[in-house]
């Protein structure tokens, strides 16, 4: 049911798995629709805009793919991003009198973001893997904590990066090489590394084994707690990197920074064909999932046939559709 | 003699290509306690499940009151008054006792539940059973014997004509067993037919009116209890000839490679010790639940333990599977599907999982993995539809061979195999026995846990027998025979014949 053989009887062994091609076909269909609706769709400006905006969610979603593949879930990434952004801005502003506005402060700020991401990920990971609390509960808790912390740091308002600093930091989001902006480059590099780690290293294989059957993994001398914790730490690191790209875009952080990032990241992972219950994950699928989600928003903005306010509704339909397709595979087994 | 209320006529049952029951005839009469005994895997559970509508017979018929009966499911059987109490309880842990007793048959007053009546009835039933739990207590908070009583109360709450009990006393203390026996006696007087299985032959002798012995899916003996003694029952259960299923035995006489002293696993094993020599096959026998698996899992680092394990002269720390594997000790689980193999994954992923670092770092070499799989398919004679097939779609025998291949991948010196042939056809069994011998003759040391007597006797030079979490004795050489092992497994002393279990 899930596979369709090609017409030629000679290539009977060659079967096409719709689950593999499904997300790609959906992406191609969206591109075709975009081209049809608006000739500007394929313009350089629009494409780079879509890709650059996808990069934050995309970077986070790569890490989320590992967490979900290993049977976990992380609801805290959006709040975590907001908190790290706030922390980063506070530290950088505080250092201006000491170090003077310059690249040095930005490097310190980046270090803060990465260390904070690692620590936040480690807290989630250790609570889940060592203490044994369900990932949903742990990250629901930390989600509330980080969101509340950033609101408190900003005193209910907005934390703004010093204006002099913004000018120096700006190129990290708006600059790039050969017309490709940094967020796109970083996203691409992380996606490629992620795909290699997932498919070709012991770590990736262990994640899939744990998500597939934790007991089997344990009996096969896989260090389950360590691998689990590492998936959360890796996700925290990637959230830190996403924040480094995100802060120069607006130069500020508030209680509404990163809202719903976690849901978009999880949705991208699921649309890409990774199983929510764990055991199977693919990074390229996640990348396709991220692109599908941003293209929907982009197309709605470019046409006036459907109100952009319905963006969420259409994304919701796509997510549910993706899961329905996933389920058919397990039924037909 | 009264006519049977429930009977099996020439019943066979096959799972896939394997026939489990071969032409079983069985009568259950009103007002009798009929004990069904046999070794693990003899077909007792299958027989009970066919009687109670959980399974259909492949051929042959089930008769209720002399009429052909075909139960669509267990609910249909229950509606006809046939209730089975499972060994693993069928209770909703988070509901109260009273809610469980009336689950699915709640008493209503109008639209609302009649809690008062249900509580009162539950209290009456429990009082009949001398059980002191409150009807409103949550099932998850009550003790295991109390859960057994709740199951019985649940059965009593409906009009029960046939009560089928799968090892009801396995979880009960002696005094609780007495209460259960009083209940069984009362039900018997009321004309209820009771089918009862137990490994405790002393109990069978006391409570049963008739006995039927199953062996390898066939009835080998059946008759009034007076015609049997505990010893004749045991002999009937295990008394089969050892075929040439097993290669000739070999003596392992090398140096001690593994020594476990005073192992304690909370709740399962206490004061257990064993030694293993190079090239030896050591058997561990005992009933299910005697702590055999827990003991070896503790040795292999899969369970927390106290006590000392010495591997090749050096102490092995507790709770580290990876360390044990690295130092040459591996464990092959009895739970092939739950703990052994990733059923959704292919053979390659399963084979290399414990040893991925040996296939390239940081990147795994797919080519090396495929080579290892080719070798494993040859060495272990794995027959699967194709290399990419999901392991869950392979036959039990081939799964077991793959699991063996996976376990042997680190080239271990000590191999612990738990139930090497569970759910496997006879041909594959023989291959696995040969393989175990080959491993031993290569100088490796093997521990085999088995609930199948012939397997233990056919394979092991020396057999350690466990009973209730302790090592109850050891037999070796000429003394490795079924009688000696069964007696030790039942907790009977080696010498004293008259002691009840």
């Amino acid at each position: 049911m899930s596979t369709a053989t090609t017409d030629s009887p000679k290539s009977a062994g060659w079967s096409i798995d719709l689950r593999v091609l499904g997300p790609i076909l959906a992406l191609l269909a969206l591109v075709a629709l975009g081209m049809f609706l608006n000739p500007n769709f394929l313009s350089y400006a629009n494409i780079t805009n879509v890709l650059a905006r996808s990069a934050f969610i995309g970077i986070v979603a790569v890490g989320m793919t590992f967490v979900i593949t290993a049977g976990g879930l992380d609801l805290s990434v959006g709040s975590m991003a907001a908190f790290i952004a706030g922390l980063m801005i506070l530290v950088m502003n505080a250092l201006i009198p000491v170090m003077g506005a310059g690249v040095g402060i930005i490097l310190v700020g980046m270090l803060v973001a990465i260390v904070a991401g690692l620590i936040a990920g480690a807290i989630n990971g250790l609570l889940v893997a060592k203490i044994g609390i369900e990932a949903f509960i742990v990250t629901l808790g930390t989600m509330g904590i980080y969101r509340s912390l950033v609101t408190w740091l900003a005193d209910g308002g907005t934390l703004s990066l010093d204006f002099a600093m913004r000018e120096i930091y700006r190129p990290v989001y708006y600059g790039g090489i050969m017309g490709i902006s940094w967020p796109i480059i970083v996203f691409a590099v992380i996606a490629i590394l992620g795909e290699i780690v997932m498919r070709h290293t012991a770590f990736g294989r262990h994640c899939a084994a744990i998500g597939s059957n934790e007991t089997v993994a344990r009996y096969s001398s896989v260090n389950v707690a360590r691998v689990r914790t590492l998936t959360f730490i890796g996700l925290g690191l990637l959230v830190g990197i996403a924040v480094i790209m995100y802060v120069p875009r607006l130069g500020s952080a508030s209680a509404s920074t990163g809202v719903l990032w976690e849901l978009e990241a999880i949705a991208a992972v699921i649309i890409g064909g990774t199983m929510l219950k764990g055991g199977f994950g693919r990074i390229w699928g996640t990348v396709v999932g991220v692109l599908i989600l941003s293209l929907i928003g982009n197309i709605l903005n470019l046409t006036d046939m459907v109100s952009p306010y319905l963006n969420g509704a259409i994304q919701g339909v796509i997510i549910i559709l993706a899961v329905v397709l996933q389920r058919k595979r397990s039924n037909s087994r | 003699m009264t006519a049977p209320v429930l009977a099996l006529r020439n019943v066979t049952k096959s799972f896939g290509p394997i026939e489990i029951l071969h032409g079983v005839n069985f009568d259950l009469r009103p007002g009798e306690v009929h004990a069904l005994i046999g070794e693990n895997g003899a077909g007792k559970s299958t027989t009970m499940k066919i009687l109670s509508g959980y399974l259909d017979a492949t051929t042959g018929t089930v008769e209720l009151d002399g009429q052909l009966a075909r139960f669509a499911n267990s609910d249909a059987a229950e509606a006809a008054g046939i209730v089975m109490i499972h060994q693993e309880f069928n209770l909703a842990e988070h509901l109260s006792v009273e809610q469980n007793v009336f689950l699915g048959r709640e008493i209503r007053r109008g639209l609302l539940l009649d809690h008062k009546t249900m509580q009162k009835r539950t209290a009456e039933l429990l009082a009949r059973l001398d059980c002191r739990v409150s009807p409103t207590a949550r099932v998850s908070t009550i003790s295991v014997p109390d859960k057994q009583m709740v199951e019985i109360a649940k059965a009593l709450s409906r009009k029960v004509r046939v009560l089928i009990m799968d090892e009801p006393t396995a979880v009960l203390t002696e005094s609780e067993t007495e209460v259960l026996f009083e209940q069984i006696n009362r039900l018997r007087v009321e004309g209820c037919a009771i089918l009862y299985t137990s490994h405790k032959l002393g109990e069978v002798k006391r409570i049963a009116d008739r006995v039927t012995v199953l062996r390898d899916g066939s009835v080998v003996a059946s008759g009034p209890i007076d015609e049997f003694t505990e010893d004749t029952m045991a002999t009937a259960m295990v008394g089969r000839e050892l075929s040439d299923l097993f290669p000739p035995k070999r003596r392992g006489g090398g140096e001690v490679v593994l020594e476990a002293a005073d192992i304690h696993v909370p709740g399962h094993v206490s004061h257990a010790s064993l030694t293993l020599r190079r090239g030896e096959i050591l058997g561990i026998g005992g009933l299910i639940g005697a702590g055999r698996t827990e003991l070896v899992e503790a040795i292999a680092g899969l369970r927390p333990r106290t006590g000392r394990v010495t591997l090749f002269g050096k102490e092995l720390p507790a709770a580290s599977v990876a360390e044990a594997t690295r130092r040459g000790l591996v464990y092959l689980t009895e739970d092939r599907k739950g703990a052994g193999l990733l059923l959704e994954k292919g053979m390659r992923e399963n084979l290399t999982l414990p040893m991925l670092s040996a296939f390239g770092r940081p990147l795994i070499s797919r080519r090396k993995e495929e080579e290892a799989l080719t070798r494993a398919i040859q060495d272990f004679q794995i027959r699967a539809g194709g290399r990419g097939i999901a392991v869950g779609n392979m036959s039990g025998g081939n799964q077991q061979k793959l699991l063996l291949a996976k376990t042997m991948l680190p080239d271990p010196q000590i191999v612990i195999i738990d139930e090497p042939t569970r759910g496997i056809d006879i041909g594959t069994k023989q291959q696995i026995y040969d393989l175990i011998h080959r491993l031993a003759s290569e100088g490796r040391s093997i521990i085999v846990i088995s609930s199948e007597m012939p397997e233990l006797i056919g394979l092991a030079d020396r057999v350690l027998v466990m009973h209730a979490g302790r090592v109850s004795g050891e037999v070796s050489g000429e003394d490795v025979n079924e009688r000696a092992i069964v007696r030790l497994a039942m907790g009977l002393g080696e010498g004293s014949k008259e002691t009840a279990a």
Side-chain angles (χ1 to χ4, degrees):
Chain A
M1 203 200 274
S2 64
T3 56
T5 25
T6 45
D7 300 355
S8 160
K10 276 193 180 158
S11 57
W14 241 89
S15 57
I16 295 168
D17 193 338
L18 272 183
R19 230 74 46 194
V20 174
L21 289 183
I24 297 178
L25 291 177
L27 183 61
L28 290 177
L30 274 177
V31 171
L33 182 69
M35 283 160 63
F36 172 73
L37 289 176
N38 191 321
N40 283 332
F41 177 74
L42 272 188
S43 69
Y44 168 81
N46 188 50
I47 291 295
T48 42
N49 180 33
V50 168
L51 289 176
R53 281 162 170 267
S54 314
F56 312 121
I57 298 291
I59 291 168
V60 172
V62 168
M64 187 70 82
T65 311
F66 284 94
V67 170
I68 291 180
T69 301
L73 193 68
D74 193 339
L75 297 173
S76 71
V77 288
S79 312
M80 196 192 289
F83 172 65
I84 294 173
L87 193 68
M88 193 179 166
I89 289 169
L90 277 181
V91 169
M92 288 197 292
N93 283 348
L95 282 178
I96 293 176
V98 188
M99 297 173 63
V103 179
I105 288 185
I106 291 173
L107 291 178
V108 172
M110 287 178 173
L111 192 69
V112 166
I114 284 175
V115 171
L118 288 173
I119 292 173
I123 291 172
N124 280 340
L126 292 173
L127 285 172
V128 171
K130 300 270 183 196
I131 316 283
I133 312 171
E134 269 179 73
F136 186 94
I137 310 274
V138 167
T139 59
L140 191 65
T142 49
M143 171 172 114
I145 293 169
Y146 296 134
R147 183 63 65 197
S148 154
L149 281 178
V150 72
T151 315
W152 175 67
L153 284 179
D155 205 11
T158 303
L159 289 163
S160 295
L161 188 59
D162 186 273
F163 199 74
M165 287 304 305
R166 282 197 207 190
E167 281 307 311
I168 308 170
Y169 201 172
R170 224 182 109 81
V172 172
Y173 180 76
Y174 293 97
I177 12 175
M178 293 191 304
I180 305 171
S181 66
W182 286 115
I184 300 177
I185 295 168
V186 172
F187 177 31
V189 168
I190 284 171
I192 290 167
L193 284 179
E195 177 74 13
I196 292 171
V197 169
M198 182 65 95
R199 283 174 69 101
H200 299 291
T201 67
F203 179 75
R205 197 70 73 74
H206 286 169
C207 287
I210 291 168
S212 181
N213 186 332
E214 193 180 328
T215 314
V216 173
R218 199 166 68 83
Y219 275 66
S220 305
S221 61
V222 173
N223 191 335
V224 173
R226 184 166 152 268
V227 172
R228 269 251 160 87
T229 310
L230 280 177
T231 59
F232 282 96
I233 292 177
L235 178 52
L237 170 69
L238 291 177
V239 170
I241 292 175
V243 168
I244 290 174
M245 305 273 122
Y246 179 82
V247 167
R249 184 173 160 221
L250 296 179
S252 65
S254 70
S256 60
T257 301
V259 166
L260 292 185
W261 276 21
E262 62 281 336
L263 290 186
E264 285 198 39
I266 293 168
V269 172
I270 301 309
I271 291 172
T274 295
M275 292 207 255
L276 186 58
K277 71 178 174 63
F280 175 79
R282 52 184 188 204
I283 301 294
W284 69 260
T286 298
V287 172
V288 172
V290 170
L291 294 179
I292 288 176
L293 286 182
S294 2
L295 277 186
I296 293 170
N298 183 246
I299 290 172
L300 292 184
N301 279 329
L302 287 180
T303 75
D304 37 15
M305 276 166 64
V306 183
S307 161
Y309 295 130
L310 284 174
N311 187 1
I314 294 175
Q315 287 184 350
V317 169
I318 300 263
I319 295 164
I320 293 169
L321 215 64
V323 175
V324 168
L325 283 172
Q326 251 192 40
R327 229 173 51 151
K328 267 203 170 153
R329 167 166 59 183
S330 39
N331 284 351
S332 66
R333 269 224 201 101
Chain B
M1 199 175 274
T2 44
V5 49
L6 191 62
L8 296 181
R9 297 280 173 250
N10 258 321
V11 162
T12 68
K13 177 71 192 172
S14 303
F15 292 104
I18 305 168
E19 195 174 271
I20 304 285
L21 289 183
H22 322 288
V24 168
N25 285 295
F26 184 82
D27 282 346
L28 202 52
R29 300 186 188 120
E32 77 165 352
V33 175
H34 193 145
L36 183 65
I37 61 174
E39 284 186 288
N40 296 321
K44 287 173 299 181
S45 300
T46 311
T47 307
M48 285 187 285
K49 283 180 181 162
I50 291 174
L51 282 168
S52 54
Y54 284 87
L55 290 174
D56 278 329
T58 306
T59 64
T61 53
V62 182
E63 287 179 6
L64 180 66
D65 298 318
Q67 306 283 312
L68 177 69
R70 185 158 281 260
F71 305 121
N73 51 38
S74 60
D75 292 341
E78 275 183 20
I82 303 164
V83 179
M84 174 161 174
I85 299 179
H86 295 263
Q87 215 175 340
E88 309 90 29
F89 305 128
N90 256 336
L91 295 172
E93 290 276 319
H94 297 292
L95 297 186
S96 72
V97 169
E98 160 240 331
Q99 284 167 336
N100 264 287
V101 167
F102 286 96
L103 190 61
R105 300 170 300 115
E106 289 83 357
I107 301 175
R108 290 204 194 94
R109 207 168 40 192
L111 277 176
L112 304 176
L113 293 177
D114 188 352
H115 292 288
K116 224 195 222 162
T117 311
M118 286 194 285
Q119 270 172 29
K120 205 172 119 238
R121 289 236 200 123
T122 307
E124 285 166 9
L125 288 166
L126 291 172
R128 255 175 82 181
L129 291 168
D130 256 351
C131 176
R132 270 174 280 280
V133 301
S134 153
T136 54
R138 260 220 262 172
V139 165
S140 58
T141 63
I142 67 177
S143 70
V144 172
D146 282 339
K147 286 182 190 172
Q148 173 87 57
M149 291 302 171
V150 173
E151 279 277 20
I152 295 169
K154 199 172 145 186
L156 293 178
S157 72
R158 41 197 103 180
K159 269 221 142 338
V160 51
R161 297 182 60 206
V162 176
L163 186 60
I164 299 174
M165 305 171 104
D166 189 1
E167 293 199 44
T169 59
V171 293
L172 299 186
T173 65
E174 256 171 62
S175 56
E176 287 157 352
T177 303
E178 287 308 314
V179 177
L180 177 67
F181 281 2
E182 276 172 37
Q183 282 317 305
I184 290 180
N185 274 326
R186 190 166 51 226
L187 287 169
R188 166 160 52 193
V189 171
E190 287 172 5
C192 180
I194 295 157
L195 173 66
Y196 176 96
T197 69
S198 176
H199 280 295
K200 300 175 183 170
L201 300 181
E203 272 179 25
V204 171
K205 186 73 184 152
R206 260 192 62 199
I207 191 77
D209 301 303
R210 277 200 302 152
V211 184
T212 294
V213 184
L214 276 178
R215 190 203 305 153
D216 284 345
S218 301
V219 174
V220 291
S222 186
I225 191 72
D226 308 334
E227 295 173 8
F228 291 88
T229 66
E230 282 183 47
D231 279 336
T232 55
M233 281 191 274
T235 309
M237 274 165 64
V238 299
R240 91 192 92 177
E241 307 248 334
L242 287 188
S243 61
D244 48 2
L245 200 56
F246 301 94
K249 275 201 199 180
R250 28 165 297 111
R251 277 279 137 86
E255 72 279 15
V256 172
V257 290
L258 172 70
E259 190 164 12
D262 205 19
I263 301 296
H264 193 92
V265 181
H268 296 286
V269 179
S270 43
H271 305 297
S273 301
L274 64 83
T275 57
L276 182 67
R277 295 175 178 280
R278 179 174 298 282
E280 180 185 38
I281 302 179
L282 169 70
I284 300 183
L287 300 177
I288 288 172
R292 301 169 302 172
T293 296
E294 288 79 5
L295 171 62
V296 293
E297 284 192 352
I299 292 175
L302 286 157
R303 276 176 191 270
R305 60 158 164 92
T306 60
R308 197 179 160 87
V309 175
T310 315
L311 189 60
F312 300 113
K314 272 197 232 148
E315 182 160 359
L316 181 72
S320 170
V321 201
E323 169 95 8
T325 310
R326 194 163 54 244
R327 286 172 53 184
L329 183 146
V330 296
Y331 167 70
L332 190 149
T333 173
E334 61 174 334
D335 187 3
R336 189 161 60 226
K337 297 186 175 182
L341 296 170
L342 299 170
L343 300 178
E344 310 151 19
K345 303 277 174 195
M347 290 196 279
R348 178 174 53 84
E349 288 94 329
N350 272 287
L351 178 69
T352 58
L353 184 60
M355 285 290 289
L356 276 176
S357 54
F359 290 89
R361 261 186 154 163
L363 300 188
I364 303 167
S365 156
R366 179 71 65 96
R367 188 180 49 81
K368 275 196 191 170
E369 279 192 300
E370 293 290 354
E371 282 168 13
L373 179 57
T374 306
R375 238 174 297 133
I377 288 175
Q378 261 166 22
D379 291 355
F380 294 85
Q381 300 163 41
I382 300 169
R383 310 239 183 288
R387 287 172 80 99
I389 187 176
V391 165
N393 294 336
M394 288 165 45
S395 74
N398 282 307
Q399 285 181 0
Q400 186 72 355
K401 289 190 212 163
L402 177 66
L403 185 53
L404 261 166
K406 171 185 165 184
T407 312
M408 295 308 297
L409 197 65
D411 192 24
Q413 288 307 303
I414 298 174
V415 189
I416 304 174
I417 308 180
D418 201 347
E419 301 288 0
T421 61
R422 174 174 288 174
I424 284 177
D425 63 282
I426 194 93
T428 310
K429 269 188 186 179
Q430 195 148 20
Q431 289 177 346
I432 287 176
Y433 296 147
D434 286 342
L435 193 78
I436 291 173
H437 265 263
R438 202 172 76 212
L439 296 177
S441 58
E442 288 167 1
R444 298 178 218 264
S445 313
I446 318 284
I447 296 178
V448 172
I449 296 182
S450 180
S451 302
E452 293 188 37
M453 288 295 158
E455 197 164 283
L456 275 183
I457 293 155
L459 284 173
D461 321 329
R462 196 156 63 87
V463 176
L464 210 68
V465 185
M466 293 187 71
H467 173 77
R470 288 164 188 274
V471 174
S472 57
E474 183 186 311
V475 289
S476 62
E478 294 298 302
D479 294 334
V480 179
N481 62 52
E482 288 147 342
R483 245 188 67 107
I485 296 173
V486 168
R487 294 189 71 88
L488 285 171
M490 301 280 177
L492 302 170
E494 268 168 286
S496 53
K497 281 193 173 179
E498 298 308 315
T499 358

